[in-house]
């Protein structure tokens, strides 16, 4: 019954998502006719009839283009994306084609082009700043993964295996034009949301998320134990480092740091100031003239006097450390096992007694030697026990299960870190460690589990101490076995039998301590968990608020809590399960997984404003559109999903709460901060990865690895990473946009540097480094990156066609139609070309008139890359053994060779095309919709400011986020 109610709840939320997916903002009521109706009738329509409709009319519709239905300027303006392409083809004199039966005169073509340009400019002026019709949309799979990462603090990527989201016309998957919410997607997403909820951790105060599911006892143990062990390892003590810090402090005068304190030197080395002071004290006072401390001081005095002898000092400090470690072993107290005939040596009370004795002796000397006592106190036998073997396997070592108490066939943990707490940790650090151990009991419920293991062990393992009739009530499978009454009853029976068989007073005391402490620990967990439930519900509401990226409405908060209490009804799930279901409900809410931009949170709703140069009364036309400023919370989401592909962070939301994010200086300061943040990698992945077409290269499998064994998975990953790091650097450092074309630097790790022939710096560990002046190895900027050269090769040869097409279409923004189906294929294997080279075969291909129309536009560009093989490796011969040539004749008739020749051509003739294309693509991506004529002034402003700002990338972002298109949304019709 309860499962059915939960399913109904999720189904209702699913329905809301599907409804939200089909909703869109209301369109502006604009019935105005553009100017130029008479010219359209006299110049454009006859042109269409004479030269276009034979191929692009209702009957033929070549390239799926039908121009027959446009009977007025308003029709053309309403579909100007289509007509923009027509304009581009007419301007390039590519249409009508050369073989058309009739071709227009220059005057006819000019009239049509002028009219379309005038219409475009008129529309741009009338609608300048129009935010456009931006449909409500769900977050893309990538955005959801990034948002869940920042919401939970864990990079779970639950949607990474989802089918690829479709892209819009510009190639981006972050717009309502392409994103849809199908029942199949919704079913997968619900499963993904539940997967995220399985990582939920309930703490003594509040909630958290683990890097792995925590729905079983083993999962919860793993989470808590790992956190404690990580803490221990971060605070592990290396005596040599403390001795070296003391030596540096003693030489502070010659180091030129006379005012530096011992705490300063300790902090610089990442050491505990508290323990550094203790070590300094035993090294520099003279209380003992014999014993281990005297020997240690003798070694200390042998360290070099001069501050420049750091290497010798380091070796000397290591010798001192070895002396301490070896000497300390002679003073470790031994603790015999506590045995009772008739009780297993592995019984929990007896094992825990010995653990306590061992822990108490960590800083004590086994010998009654006054000179050793201080030595043993400052240098304990261990600072903490992170591992302990099972009791019956122990040979005096410390290796085994993490934090275990050492029981045989039983679960339980024992804390043994007294020296670390007393000697090393400060008050705050000790509080952190105490909290971690408290969380271990709270989250895992291990005291009750340990106690039930004790019952089972005592009944099942020889000598089966608890098998008498007086113990029949004690069963590990009994849900009430850990109740206060039954613990007390078992305590009495256990002690009575222990005394009866002659247990020593020490053993009886150990048994009494065991039952008392276990009962207290079990009761604490029960009471703490019950007391924590209100804090969990409060944290759930805060989680929902962060997930929705705005304050919760009272009704939303009440609904969420009502859902929790409904789940916890009679025979409902426990608190943990109900909380996971509530987290799932938040994640499947449209308020989380949709970009709504419809709320008025943060400040009073601003009135609708007209944002167009033509207003009512100026020339009799109605206002072009009406817009409303985004609320500060909606603006926070818009800028964060633009720059991070993720949710706003606390600072951004704080400005939204203060109501000042819409202020220009605040918004620009935030955008600059966000560009410097590492999360700008989201922009690199989703924008640059889609724009430059390498986004899923890490899954690229078209390379024949037998022929190209150098193409390993590690190299493929490094190829994919290079442009990401280049773009992130550009954004974070506010670099020049032109570095993408001309930059003489790149980023590489060892495997990519080896592939490029770039020497790796001696002594430098593997990782990602920036390399400058890489032109000598044929690298620098995007053009010669192996990711693009490999992706645009068929696998067994290069492809000047694909490589040139990538440059011309992706970077320079040319629209090139798809090839006809009858195009002959080139040989798939470069080694099988015979006597002809690939450039020669392409030259023959261009002799076909129908092919030359397109190939003349990009073949020459692709030929300059022939010095790079199928996986982007430098080469001087192709796979058939022919010498390669990188020479090409570009469209303007100029000649060039290799990457440098292409860069020179682009700088002279095509740089503005690249800049314009980049600006347009960034606007499309930022606004989440296709370009409108109203965006022309914005693009022009971006280009103008780029030039004035030395092409700095940040100027593009600032121009966009300051634009009316970014700051407003279409207002609803009244």
């Amino acid at each position: 019954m309860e499962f059915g109610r939960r399913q109904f709840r999720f189904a209702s939320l699913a329905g809301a998502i599907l409804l939200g997916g089909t909703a869109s903002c209301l369109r502006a009521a604009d019935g105005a006719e553009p100017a130029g109706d008479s010219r359209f009738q006299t110049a454009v329509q006859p042109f269409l009839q004479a030269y276009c409709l034979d191929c692009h009319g209702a009957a033929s519709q070549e390239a799926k283009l039908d121009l027959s239905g446009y009977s007025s300027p308003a029709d053309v303006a309403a579909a100007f994306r289509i007509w923009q392409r027509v304009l581009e083809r007419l301007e390039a004199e590519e249409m009508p084609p050369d073989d058309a039966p009739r071709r227009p005169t220059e005057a006819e073509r000019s009239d049509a082009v002028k009219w379309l340009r005038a219409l475009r400019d008129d529309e741009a002026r009338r609608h300048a700043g129009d935010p456009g019709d931006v449909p409500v949309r769900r977050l893309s799979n990538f955005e959801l993964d990034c948002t869940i990462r920042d919401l939970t603090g864990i990079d779970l990527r639950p949607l990474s295996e989802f089918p690829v989201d479709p892209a819009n016309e510009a190639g981006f998957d972050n717009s309502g034009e392409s994103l849809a919410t199908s029942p199949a997607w919704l079913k997968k997403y619900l499963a993904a949301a539940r997967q995220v909820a399985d990582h939920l951790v309930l703490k003594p105060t509040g909630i958290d998320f683990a890097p792995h599911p925590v729905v079983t006892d083993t999962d919860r143990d793993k989470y808590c134990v790992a956190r404690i062990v990580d803490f221990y390892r971060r605070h592990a003590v290396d005596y040599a480092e403390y001795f070296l810090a003391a030596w540096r402090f003693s030489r502070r005068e010659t180091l030129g740091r006379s005012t530096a304190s011992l705490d300063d030197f300790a902090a610089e080395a990442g050491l505990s100031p508290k323990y550094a002071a203790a070590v300094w004290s035993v090294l520099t006072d003279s209380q003992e003239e014999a014993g281990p401390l005297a020997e240690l001081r003798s070694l200390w005095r042998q360290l070099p006097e001069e501050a420049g002898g750091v290497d010798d000092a380091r070796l000397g400090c290591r010798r001192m450390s070895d002396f301490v470690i070896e000497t300390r072993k002679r003073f470790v107290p031994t603790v015999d096992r506590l045995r009772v005939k008739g009780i297993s040596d592995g019984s929990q009370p007896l094992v825990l007694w010995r653990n306590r004795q061992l822990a108490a002796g960590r800083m004590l000397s086994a010998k009654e030697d006054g000179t050793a006592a201080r030595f043993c106190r400052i240098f304990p036998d261990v600072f903490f026990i992170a591992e302990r073997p099972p009791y019956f396997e122990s040979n005096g070592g410390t290796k085994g299960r993490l934090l275990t108490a050492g029981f045989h066939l039983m679960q339980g943990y024992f804390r043994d870190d007294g020296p670390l707490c007393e000697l090393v940790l400060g008050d705050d650090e000790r509080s952190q460690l105490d909290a971690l151990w408290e969380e271990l009991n709270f989250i895992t419920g291990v005291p009750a589990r340990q106690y039930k293991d004790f019952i089972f062990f005592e009944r099942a393992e020889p000598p089966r101490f608890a098998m008498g009739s007086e113990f029949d009530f004690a069963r590990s499978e009994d849900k009430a076995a850990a109740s206060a009454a039954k613990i007390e009853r078992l305590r009495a029976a256990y002690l009575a039998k222990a005394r009866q068989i002659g247990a020593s007073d020490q053993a009886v005391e150990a048994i009494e301590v065991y039952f008392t402490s276990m009962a207290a620990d079990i009761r604490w967990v029960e009471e703490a968990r019950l007391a924590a439930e209100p804090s969990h519900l409060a944290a759930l509401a805060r989680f929902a608020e962060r997930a929705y990226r705005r304050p919760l409405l009272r009704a939303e908060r009440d609904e969420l809590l009502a859902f929790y209490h409904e789940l916890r009804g009679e025979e409902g799930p426990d608190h943990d399960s109900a909380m996971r279901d509530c987290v799932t409900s938040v994640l499947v809410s449209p308020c989380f997984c949709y970009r709504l931009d419809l709320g008025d949170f943060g400040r009073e709703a601003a009135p609708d404003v007209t944002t167009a140069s033509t207003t009512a009364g100026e020339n009799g036309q109605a206002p072009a559109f009406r817009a409303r400023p985004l609320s500060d919370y909606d603006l926070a989401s818009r800028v964060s999903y633009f720059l991070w592909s993720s949710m706003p962070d606390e600072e951004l939301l704080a400005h939204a709460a203060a109501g000042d994010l819409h202020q220009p200086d605040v918004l620009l300061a935030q955008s600059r901060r966000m560009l410097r943040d590492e999360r700008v990698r989201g922009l690199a992945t989703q924008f640059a990865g889609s724009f430059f077409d390498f986004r899923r290269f890490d899954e690229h499998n078209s390379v024949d690895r037998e022929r190209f064994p150098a193409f390993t998975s590690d190299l493929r990953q490094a190829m994919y990473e290079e442009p990401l790091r280049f773009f992130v650097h550009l954004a974070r450092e506010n670099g020049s946009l032109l570095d993408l074309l001309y930059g003489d630097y790149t980023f590489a790790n060892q495997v990519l540097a080896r592939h490029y022939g770039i020497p790796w710096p001696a002594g430098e560990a593997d990782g990602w480094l920036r390399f400058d002046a890489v032109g000598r190895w044929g690298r620098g900027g995007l053009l010669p990156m192996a990711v693009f050269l490999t992706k645009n090769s068929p696998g067994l040869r290069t492809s000047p066609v694909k490589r040139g097409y990538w440059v011309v279409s992706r970077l320079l923004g040319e629209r090139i139609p798809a090839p006809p189906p009858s195009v002959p294929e080139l040989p798939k294997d470069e080694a099988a070309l015979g006597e002809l080279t690939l450039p020669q075969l392409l030259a023959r291909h261009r002799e076909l008139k129908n092919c030359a129309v397109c190939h003349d536009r990009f073949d020459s560009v692709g030929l300059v890359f022939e010095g790079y093989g199928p996986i982007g490796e430098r080469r001087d011969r192709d796979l058939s053994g022919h010498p390669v040539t990188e020479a090409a004749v570009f469209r303007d008739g100029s000649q060039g060779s290799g990457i440098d020749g292409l860069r020179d051509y682009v700088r002279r003739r095509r740089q503005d095309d690249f800049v314009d294309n980049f600006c347009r693509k960034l606007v499309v991506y930022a606004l989440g919709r296709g370009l409108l004529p109203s965006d022309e002034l914005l693009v022009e402003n971006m280009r103008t400011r780029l030039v004035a700002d030395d092409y700095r990338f940040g100027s593009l972002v600032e121009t966009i986020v300051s634009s009316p298109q970014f700051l407003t949304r279409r207002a609803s019709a009244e």
Side-chain angles (χ1 to χ4, degrees), residues 14-50:
I17 290 179
L18 287 170
L19 289 174
T22 60
S24 64
C25 302
L26 293 176
R27 303 178 186 276
D30 178 12
E33 280 282 319
D37 182 70
S38 61
R39 288 186 60 201
F40 177 79
Q41 302 295 335
T42 58
V44 179
Q45 278 194 320
F47 185 95
L48 293 174
Q49 190 67 44

Side-chain angles (χ1 to χ4, degrees), residues 245 249 257 259-271 273:
F249 175 64
R257 302 185 59 188
T259 60
S261 66
L262 178 59
D263 285 2
D264 294 332
F265 285 100
E268 290 168 6
L271 305 176

Side-chain angles (χ1 to χ4, degrees), residues 56-321:
H56 301 292
S60 57
Q61 298 185 21
E62 287 190 19
K64 299 180 180 180
L65 177 61
D66 179 5
L67 300 178
S68 63
Y70 299 93
S71 59
S72 70
D75 293 338
V76 177
F80 202 80
R81 286 192 204 176
I82 294 174
W83 284 89
Q84 178 64 33
R85 294 189 180 185
V86 174
L87 175 60
E88 291 171 359
R89 294 292 178 269
L90 292 175
E91 287 177 324
E93 299 187 7
E94 294 174 357
M95 289 293 164
D98 291 339
D99 59 354
R102 289 178 296 173
R103 289 182 56 79
T105 65
E106 184 59 34
E108 288 174 317
R109 183 190 300 273
S110 177
D111 283 347
V113 166
K114 287 179 180 178
W115 186 88
L116 286 171
R117 286 177 178 170
L119 178 67
R120 179 189 62 190
D121 295 344
D122 183 56
E123 288 294 296
R125 286 191 297 271
R126 292 183 63 248
H127 293 267
D130 181 5
D133 183 7
V134 182
V136 172
R137 69 167 179 90
R138 68 169 172 85
L139 300 179
S140 70
N141 296 337
F142 179 77
E143 289 172 329
L144 281 166
D145 273 341
C146 292
T147 304
I148 289 171
R149 175 201 66 201
D150 294 339
L151 180 63
T152 64
I154 306 294
D155 194 8
L156 301 175
R157 303 187 189 185
L159 285 77
S160 60
E161 300 300 321
F162 276 38
V164 174
D165 279 327
N168 62 11
E169 185 181 16
F172 304 119
D173 62 7
N174 69 335
S175 73
E177 301 171 37
S178 57
L179 292 172
T181 308
S182 67
W185 182 91
L186 181 60
K187 182 177 180 181
K188 288 178 66 70
Y189 179 67
L190 178 56
R194 284 179 169 144
Q195 176 187 334
V196 174
D198 284 344
H199 291 251
L200 178 68
V201 180
L202 303 181
K203 294 192 169 185
T205 55
I207 64 175
D208 201 355
F209 289 84
H212 53 79
V214 283
V215 294
T216 67
D217 289 337
T218 302
D219 294 335
R220 287 186 278 266
D221 289 351
K222 176 183 175 182
Y223 170 77
C224 295
V225 168
R227 283 161 57 83
I228 295 173
V229 172
D230 286 347
F231 182 96
Y232 284 159
R233 288 171 179 164
R234 291 197 306 272
H235 294 85
V237 172
D238 182 344
Y239 292 132
E241 293 300 320
Y242 280 92
F243 295 146
L244 184 62
W247 177 82
R248 287 172 58 81
F249 175 64
S250 70
R251 306 298 188 268
R252 60 191 179 279
E253 294 286 349
T254 55
L255 286 171
R257 302 185 59 188
S258 58
T259 60
S261 66
L262 178 59
D263 285 2
D264 294 332
F265 285 100
E268 290 168 6
L271 305 176
S272 162
K274 180 179 178 181
Y275 191 57
V279 170
W280 173 259
S281 177
V282 298
L283 292 175
T284 56
D285 66 28
S286 57
Q287 292 179 9
E288 289 87 5
E289 297 181 358
L293 280 182
E295 295 179 60
L296 181 64
R297 292 193 190 103
S298 175
L299 293 172
W300 163 254
R301 289 191 291 270
Q302 294 173 29
L303 295 180
E305 290 291 334
E306 296 300 322
V310 175
D311 291 340
D312 290 338
R314 194 179 299 278
L315 290 174
C317 291
R318 183 55 60 189
R319 285 193 294 270
M320 293 172 64
S321 174

